[in-house]
Structures are given as C-alpha cells and as structure tokens.
Amino acid sequence: MSGQGMDHIMVIQLWILLCISGNSAEVMKRSIFLISGQTESGHLSVSDLAKQSVSDLAQPHWSEFSWEWTSHDGRYSEIQIARAISSRLVVSPPFTEYFSCSQDYDVTVKPKFECAGVFLFVRTNVPLAKIEIFATKITPSFWPSFHLGSDVSVSCEVSSLPEGATLQWEREEDPTSNTTLFYNNTVHMVIRSVHPDSQGAYYCTVRQNGTLLYNVSNAVRIEEVSSDATLTLYRESSNSSLVTLLCMTSDGYTHASWSWTPLSTAKEVHVVTTAMYRSNDTFNERFSYGDFDGYYFPLYFSPVKFEDCGRFNCYFENLLVASINVVTLKVSAVPPSGSPRNHSVVLRCEVSEVSSDPVTLAWLRMEESRWLLVKQDVLTETRPNRTLSVTLPSLCRDQLHWQCAVFTEGMLRATASLTLTLPTETTMSSMTGMGTETVVRGVVTMAATLGILGLLGFYCQRPNGTQTQRQKEEPAKLEETSV
C-alpha cells in the first residue's frame, strides 16, 4: 500500500458499554477493524477490567480467566485460545501463529484475515468482555502506476459485516460511478479506461445507517503515455455500453490513425486517419474520435456490439503507439421476457474470447438488495465452449434481476445485466395463476351481469297494458265490418 494510502488508514475502535443483569457481571462490548497484511495488529485489552474483577473476589483463582474465540470463517467456535496460569496468561500452542500475550490479560491479534472473529474474556464461564475484530483485505494490496487507458480492477473484502452495515467503494465520500459489484462480503470495482482525471484516493468504507464506521484508502496514479504492452478491455454488448480507447505519446507527430482487426476475420480494417487540425470521417457511424493535437488521439464507439471484439492499434505516423484487445460480453434469455410462467427460461452468458488466461463466468441473482451466486464456470483456451447457461424451470417474481460477471485472476473485469419481465395474463386460461378468491369474485360478477341483461331483455319484449287492450279490441272491429 502506498504511503499516501497509509495516511488515510483509519482504525476506529467503537466502545459500547452494556450492563447485563445476572451474576453481577458487567460485559464490555467493543469492535475493532484491522487491515490484513499490514504491520498494525489488533489488541484485546482487558487488563483493567480483569484486575477489578479479581479485586472483587474474596479468594481469587487466577486459573479462572480465559479467552475464547469464534472465527468469522467458521473454522472455530468458542474455542479456548488462552488462559491464565498462576497469574500469567498463556496462549495455547495451536494458536501462537495468530495470537500472543502482551501484558497481564491482554492478547495481541496478528493482522491476518483468518484471525477475525468474536473474542470472549471469561471468568468461570461468565463473560466479562466481548470484542469483535473485523478484518479487511484490499486486492491488490499495493497499487502501482497504471497504464493510460487500461482498466483498473480492485476489490475490498471484509471478514464479516456488522448487522445493518454496507460495504462500498467511495471517492470523496460519494459512491463511485465506476462498475461495482458486491457479493459474498466483497465489493469489486472496475475503473474503466483510466485517464488523468481518474487519479486520486479511493476509499473502501463500512457504513451503518449512514454513519462511517471504518474506511481504508488507496491512491490511483496514471502513467502519462500509452503502454507498449497490449491492454485488454472487457465490455458489455448493449445499447448503453461505450468503449474508450486512449492513445498518447510524449513526442509530437503530424498524423495518427486507428485500425481494427476483428476476431472473426483476422483482417486489419482501417478505422480513421487524421492529421493535425484536420479530420477525416470514420468508416462506421458508431465510431467517433477526439481532436488530434500531435500527442493525443482517442477513439470511441457506442453502442457496443458483440462482433466488435478484436484488436485495435493506434499509429502515430508509422509508429505503433498503443495496442488494445477488446473482449465483449453478452447476455440473453430464451424464450425472451413475457413468455408464459409455466415455461422454462434459459439464461445465456457468452464471452467473445478466452485467451491463455482462464476466464470465470458467473451468474448472480438479486435477492433482497444483494447479489447471490447461482452458478459459475472456469473457461480455458482449450475448451470450445465460451458460454454459461442457467435454466429456470419457471419464472417467478424473485427471479427477475440477473447479472453475468466475468473474472480473470480473481478480479472483476465486466458485468452484463439482464432484467426479465413476467407475462401479462389476459385470457381465461390465465386464471389458473390467480387466487381462489379472485376467481370466485369474477364468476359471481359475470353471473350477475348476465342475469341483469336477461331481465332487461325480457322486460323489453313483454307487451304493456295498452297494447294488450288494443289487441283485444281489433278482433271485435273486424267482426262488425264483416257483418
């Protein structure tokens, strides 16, 4: 971690005193955050509390005091890690790599991610103190200077989240606009196509009801010129996706150009050529570019299609300045949204290319504002399949929001979202999905309507009194005329 990042490290210790009735014991509760892999350890400090407890005893027994540990990762539950022998605290041999005694009854916890958990200071099975240590881990732990135009992928993991707390990446106390994904107590962030404006401090924060409990920061620094190494960018294929390709050199040139070698044809295609203060049209309306000043020549294209995958090369005159490999990601549902509920739905996620580095595809489903991992698979260059599918036997309301994520080397590279919709039921056959009460009400309403219409029809067809009298008189008049 950089020196600038270390200046922003905050280790906030939250002290909460809670009196618990029973055995006249006062339990001290405390939370500590530490950074895994750093030099600063966590300290379980209870010496003053223990001395007061001993003075309250008529005949104190030093062996009555011990420390118990329940690890966050589930390996241990209420296991004794240290106990007092003849007024001296001793750590049990299996745990000396994690813990050590400092003074009196205090224990030092080494800054390792697996050391996190709940610690109880106990006297004869009665807890006197409860201290919980939360460990955070930033990956990568050291942030070097990043290449101009590259994607920066980082993650922040916490051993356990306090109840009601949130974990997120922030920049200047505001959530970042970059691609983020939170699941399994880890928040991933991708800063796309980094440029000078991307530089600065980024904070991994833990907040509870909006109040900052803890944060740790690191700084992003950008190299001012393009790298001579080939960069790889992953982008979602969608109408809202954008690809930004940056090309910059420290020497001035009069001409610059971009070319594209599609993955499907492997034939280089000219995209655009420009000279200082003079522009030429690109070969496709989806492509655009910035002004060329002799040093800097960016290329953009949007929307991104799945077939846009391939290698893009930037030349200043005849010098190759930047080479960027674009890998695309797309998601789909078969049949599409709106199909009947009782039909199965297949979700499909496909990546355009798998190179020498294995790629992990993962389907995640939104449940109660959190992403849950449903299925994942590791794709390699030797495998012809570049897709990951999930079959839903039927579609229900809690299965509408999905996301496919692509990882390499354990780091998030891109995500593609898919939102399904329930079908609109308008036919009588769709009543099978309704509640019994709704169906009964519909039948009663229909029967009542038909009954009223029947009565109206009968009334209209029934002769009235005047018509009946006239019908009786007409035969009599006919008889008189005939006579």
Side-chain angles (χ1 to χ4, degrees):
M1 180 171 295
S2 66
Q4 181 179 355
M6 289 298 294
D7 292 339
H8 292 87
I9 293 174
M10 299 171 58
V11 180
I12 302 175
Q13 300 181 351
L14 307 176
W15 292 81
I16 304 173
L17 297 180
L18 178 65
C19 295
I20 300 179
S21 59
N23 297 326
S24 299
E26 186 179 88
V27 177
M28 179 188 72
K29 289 188 176 181
R30 179 185 174 194
S31 297
I32 300 175
F33 288 85
L34 60 80
I35 305 173
S36 174
Q38 298 301 306
T39 57
E40 189 168 351
S41 301
H43 299 283
L44 308 178
S45 181
V46 293
S47 292
D48 293 339
L49 180 65
K51 290 176 182 178
Q52 179 63 39
S53 178
V54 169
S55 65
D56 293 340
L57 296 176
Q59 294 180 341
H61 299 282
W62 299 104
S63 60
E64 291 180 341
F65 294 91
S66 63
W67 280 99
E68 295 178 357
W69 175 43
T70 298
S71 61
H72 279 165
D73 58 15
R75 291 178 302 155
Y76 302 103
S77 178
E78 297 183 356
I79 190 169
Q80 188 180 90
I81 60 171
R83 65 190 183 98
I85 301 177
S86 300
S87 74
R88 180 171 174 267
L89 192 68
V90 177
V91 175
S92 303
F95 303 106
T96 53
E97 64 174 312
Y98 299 141
F99 314 108
S100 61
C101 299
S102 52
Q103 64 177 10
D104 297 331
Y105 301 95
D106 296 349
V107 170
T108 298
V109 181
K110 297 182 179 180
K112 295 183 178 182
F113 194 79
E114 57 270 27
C115 293
V118 178
F119 298 83
L120 289 178
F121 183 61
V122 179
R123 185 191 69 192
T124 317
N125 298 323
V126 177
L128 300 179
K130 179 181 179 181
I131 303 177
E132 186 166 11
I133 289 185
F134 299 90
T136 58
K137 180 167 59 177
I138 305 294
T139 305
S141 58
F142 173 75
W143 292 11
S145 294
F146 297 102
H147 296 307
L148 178 75
S150 64
D151 282 354
V152 173
S153 183
V154 296
S155 68
C156 176
E157 181 181 3
V158 64
S159 57
S160 178
L161 267 180
E163 185 177 355
T166 60
L167 178 70
Q168 64 184 14
W169 282 102
E170 296 180 2
R171 189 179 185 187
E172 298 178 354
E173 299 184 357
D174 291 323
T176 67
S177 59
N178 301 291
T179 300
T180 59
L181 173 67
F182 172 76
Y183 86 100
N184 197 26
N185 287 341
T186 304
V187 58
H188 299 266
M189 176 178 65
V190 181
I191 309 174
R192 298 182 177 183
S193 302
V194 293
H195 48 84
D197 290 342
S198 305
Q199 297 185 116
Y202 291 79
Y203 300 84
C204 175
T205 63
V206 178
R207 293 183 180 272
Q208 192 170 44
N209 299 323
T211 301
L212 178 65
L213 299 183
Y214 169 81
N215 70 5
V216 57
S217 72
N218 219 328
V220 170
R221 295 181 301 276
I222 309 301
E223 295 182 356
E224 296 182 355
V225 296
S226 297
S227 169
D228 55 1
T230 299
L231 305 179
T232 299
L233 307 181
Y234 289 82
R235 291 294 182 268
E236 175 189 6
S237 169
S238 70
N239 291 331
S240 60
S241 187
L242 167 70
V243 171
T244 300
L245 306 179
L246 303 182
C247 183
M248 188 172 184
T249 182
S250 57
D251 299 324
Y253 292 84
T254 58
H255 293 79
S257 64
W258 278 97
S259 67
W260 170 41
T261 304
L263 185 64
S264 58
T265 63
K267 293 182 179 180
E268 190 171 25
V269 178
H270 171 73
V271 177
V272 61
T273 299
T274 188
M276 290 185 62
Y277 315 114
R278 190 183 70 216
S279 300
N280 293 332
D281 293 335
T282 59
F283 82 107
N284 189 301
E285 62 181 5
R286 293 187 297 112
F287 289 76
S288 61
Y289 52 89
D291 293 333
F292 174 58
D293 61 0
Y295 300 90
Y296 181 62
F297 188 40
L299 178 69
Y300 317 95
F301 59 94
S302 178
V304 180
K305 296 183 178 180
F306 188 71
E307 296 76 19
D308 290 336
C309 56
R311 178 164 296 187
F312 291 80
N313 289 334
C314 173
Y315 296 93
F316 279 20
E317 296 180 5
N318 294 323
L319 176 66
L320 178 62
V321 176
S323 182
I324 303 173
N325 189 38
V326 175
V327 181
T328 51
L329 179 73
K330 69 176 180 179
V331 292
S332 60
V334 181
S337 293
S339 301
R341 290 176 184 255
N342 56 350
H343 282 62
S344 62
V345 178
V346 179
L347 309 182
R348 191 168 181 263
C349 178
E350 182 178 1
V351 64
S352 62
E353 179 185 2
V354 177
S355 59
S356 56
D357 295 328
V359 171
T360 299
L361 289 182
W363 271 113
L364 302 106
R365 174 171 55 87
M366 176 68 78
E367 183 173 300
E368 297 180 352
S369 301
R370 296 198 176 206
W371 290 106
L372 298 180
L373 179 63
V374 176
K375 185 179 180 181
Q376 69 177 12
D377 193 13
V378 178
L379 311 180
T380 60
E381 190 176 20
T382 57
R383 291 178 55 183
N385 184 33
R386 301 190 309 275
T387 64
L388 178 66
S389 299
V390 171
T391 301
L392 307 178
S394 60
L395 192 60
C396 55
R397 192 167 298 279
D398 61 348
Q399 295 180 332
L400 301 181
H401 301 285
W402 294 82
Q403 197 162 217
C404 180
V406 55
F407 297 84
T408 63
E409 300 177 341
M411 305 302 294
L412 178 69
R413 303 303 175 185
T415 61
S417 300
L418 181 64
T419 300
L420 306 177
T421 57
L422 292 173
T424 303
E425 300 176 337
T426 57
T427 62
M428 287 295 293
S429 61
S430 66
M431 283 187 172
T432 56
M434 298 181 179
T436 304
E437 183 180 356
T438 303
V439 175
V440 171
R441 285 181 179 177
V443 172
V444 171
T445 302
M446 186 177 294
T449 303
L450 292 175
I452 292 172
L453 292 175
L455 289 174
L456 290 174
F458 174 75
Y459 179 79
C460 293
Q461 294 178 1
R462 182 179 62 84
N464 57 30
T466 304
Q467 290 176 327
T468 304
Q469 182 65 29
R470 186 182 298 116
Q471 290 172 355
K472 289 181 179 180
E473 292 176 353
E474 286 179 354
K477 291 181 180 180
L478 291 174
E479 290 177 0
E480 292 177 0
T481 304
S482 60
V483 174

